[in-house]
Amino acid sequence: MMMWLLLAQTITGLPAMLPGTDVKIVLPDLVTVLDAATVQNNRLVFDVPLEPGREIRLLISYAPEGELAVPTGYVGPQSDDILLQLGDARQLVSFRGWLADERGIELVLPGRNR
């Protein structure tokens, strides 16, 4: 439980994920965009299937507040989640789980089984 609390505190550095927050999935070069989506109606919906295990970065921005975050992540084994690496933590955190539990947002990624 303590580990989850520490990880939750670390991930709170991400923008609030209010409606209108833009999220781009990019390669580690921060230039090549694989997909992009905007938080709307408590959903974040991506369209492009991603390769499991691929290292990516999320460019998360909310223009009215000028917030920007660029966490490192990996596409989950079924391509239906992004596992975030936060700070020095060794354990990866489910972006899908965090969005649902902390922000009430559904993450939709076209996984391998869709």
Side-chain angles (χ1 to χ4, degrees):
M1 180 67 167
M2 181 61 105
M3 182 64 165
W4 173 250
L5 289 174
L6 292 173
L7 290 173
Q9 289 176 342
T10 304
I11 203 166
T12 58
L14 294 179
M17 305 300 290
L18 299 170
T21 299
D22 292 317
V23 180
K24 292 180 182 174
I25 300 173
V26 300
L27 292 181
D29 65 10
L30 301 179
V31 175
T32 307
V33 177
L34 300 176
D35 202 356
T38 301
V39 175
Q40 297 177 344
N41 300 320
N42 293 325
R43 296 181 85 211
L44 183 61
V45 181
F46 291 94
D47 297 319
V48 177
L50 301 170
E51 178 184 337
R54 173 173 248 173
E55 181 178 354
I56 52 100
R57 303 291 185 273
L58 295 179
L59 293 179
I60 304 172
S61 63
Y62 183 63
E65 301 296 323
E67 294 180 274
L68 178 66
V70 188
T72 296
Y74 300 89
V75 178
Q78 298 300 315
S79 300
D80 62 351
D81 197 1
I82 294 172
L83 307 174
L84 299 178
Q85 182 177 0
L86 304 170
D88 294 333
R90 292 182 186 161
Q91 188 171 3
L92 299 174
V93 175
S94 166
F95 188 48
R96 171 187 300 289
W98 179 79
L99 281 174
D101 295 344
E102 298 295 322
R103 300 295 192 249
I105 296 171
E106 176 187 10
L107 174 64
V108 179
L109 286 167
R112 290 192 331 201
N113 298 326
R114 289 188 180 206

